[in-house]
Amino acid sequence: MSFYYIGREASKLWKRICAEITTEIKLLAENWKYILGGLICQYIHGLAARGVHYFHRPGPILQDVGFYLLPELGQDRAYISEFVFTFVFLSFVLWTFHPFITKSKKIYTVLIWCRVLACLVACQFLRIITFYSTQLPGPNYHCREGSKFATLPRPDNILEVLLIVPRGVLFGCGDLIFSSHMIFSLVFVRTYHKYGTRRFLKQCAWLTVVIQSLLIIAARKHYTVDIVVAWYTVNLVVFFIDKKLPELPDRSGAAALLLPLSKDSKTKEEINHKLLNINTGDSADWRPRTQINGKILEEGNIVHVEAIINGL
């Protein structure tokens, strides 16, 4: 019996995945330019961060309030901040693909990544302008005086500049104001806060970003100003982009069944409202209702409407 149940559920899951793949491929065919453009901009941001490393000159660590208030983690424990960031990054990526697995779904994977990439590109554009405007001596251990990674020798060929290697990403210097880790984390958390469904996870996500901010300072990877600027810049950028971009279609529950409001549908709605409100003379029953394909939403509750609507 258990094998039959497992086989049946596996078959349902496979059908769900195939249906979601078909839907997402259609969306990708319509929006691939935005995805590709966003990925290219990620590469450009990486080039810019590597390029500023050639201009970096190590020097005394600047006076910083966060360095006085937070104890230094040390080189042996500096990886903790990276671990937290990796956890946030992977968790968000997995969440964006949950429509392929779960029954309840609110987002489309392609559309959510179009929105995320738009926010990332806008923030990274501002970041590039900022850290090229003024180069500060890096507080990280490999950016201090005496470290072989503090400065980069002149490149022998253009390939050295254009090729981004993991070592260059981990041991970069000079790209300080403002933190790239905070850009990704804040964009991800704000996106989940808006489109996620678990209130507890939203609270945990914001708490994790606050902890990550403190760990970055404690690991001496950024000055406090890099974190503070990231907090208000990213939030403002995402706020304005949300105002400019069209809202994503909602796939959750009855909202996915909303009818378009054409002239004909408006006329039908008016007739339906009169028919539905005619049963009583109480003025409280004359409040507007929203038609949803044979259902009516009234103060958050769904009331089924029978064939009277379909007959109009």
Side-chain angles (χ1 to χ4, degrees), residues 38-297:
L39 294 177
I40 292 175
C41 287
Q42 299 308 301
Y43 172 72
I44 294 174
H45 174 255
L47 285 183
R50 178 170 175 79
V52 79
H53 196 167
Y54 289 102
F55 299 101
H56 178 258
R57 295 295 178 267
I61 298 177
L62 303 180
Q63 184 174 349
D64 190 280
V65 175
F67 291 178
Y68 285 111
L69 297 178
L70 296 174
E72 189 171 352
L73 287 178
Q75 288 183 277
D76 296 336
R77 293 179 293 176
Y79 69 90
I80 298 178
S81 64
E82 290 295 333
F83 174 80
V84 175
F85 171 74
T86 304
F87 172 76
V88 172
F89 189 95
L90 294 179
S91 299
F92 179 80
V93 172
L94 291 175
W95 171 75
T96 60
F97 285 91
H98 82 272
F100 290 85
I101 305 298
T102 60
K103 292 182 180 179
S104 60
K105 52 195 71 177
K106 188 178 179 181
I107 62 169
Y108 294 96
T109 302
V110 170
L111 297 183
I112 201 73
W113 275 108
C114 287
R115 204 175 192 89
V116 167
L117 287 171
C119 296
L120 290 177
V121 170
C123 293
Q124 290 166 345
F125 175 75
L126 295 176
R127 180 174 188 259
I128 292 171
I129 295 176
T130 306
F131 66 63
Y132 266 102
S133 300
T134 302
Q135 287 85 45
L136 303 178
N140 210 335
Y141 302 103
H142 63 267
C143 298
R144 300 177 184 179
E145 293 178 324
S147 172
K148 62 179 181 179
F149 300 111
T151 57
L152 289 180
R154 291 175 62 89
D156 296 328
N157 52 67
I158 191 64
L159 186 61
E160 290 186 20
V161 180
L162 298 178
L163 184 62
I164 300 177
V165 295
R167 187 175 185 179
V169 175
L170 295 175
F171 294 97
C173 298
D175 56 329
L176 292 175
I177 302 176
F178 43 96
S179 171
S180 179
H181 285 60
M182 292 305 301
I183 290 177
F184 280 93
S185 296
L186 286 171
V187 169
F188 290 170
V189 171
R190 279 192 63 102
T191 302
Y192 181 76
H193 183 85
K194 184 174 183 179
Y195 298 105
T197 56
R198 305 288 183 178
R199 184 179 180 182
F200 175 72
L201 291 181
K202 294 178 183 180
Q203 295 172 344
C204 290
W206 282 112
L207 178 62
T208 303
V209 176
V210 172
I211 294 174
Q212 178 187 314
S213 303
L214 300 177
L215 288 173
I216 290 175
I217 298 173
R220 303 302 187 254
K221 295 183 177 181
H222 278 278
Y223 292 108
T224 305
V225 66
D226 307 334
I227 307 301
V228 173
V229 172
W231 267 94
Y232 65 73
T233 302
V234 175
N235 281 291
L236 286 173
V237 168
V238 175
F239 173 79
F240 284 110
I241 288 180
D242 278 339
K243 294 294 183 181
K244 293 295 182 181
L245 293 180
E247 190 51 75
L248 296 182
D250 191 353
R251 308 178 69 180
S252 60
L257 303 174
L258 283 172
L259 291 174
L261 291 177
S262 62
K263 292 183 179 179
D264 295 336
S265 62
K266 287 183 179 178
T267 304
K268 287 184 178 181
E269 277 192 348
E270 293 174 359
I271 300 174
N272 294 338
H273 291 164
K274 293 179 180 179
L275 290 173
L276 290 167
N277 290 321
I278 202 170
N279 58 352
T280 176
D282 190 356
S283 59
D285 288 334
W286 287 83
R287 56 188 177 272
R289 296 166 169 85
T290 304
Q291 178 182 348
I292 304 182
N293 285 13
K295 298 180 180 179
I296 290 179
L297 285 180

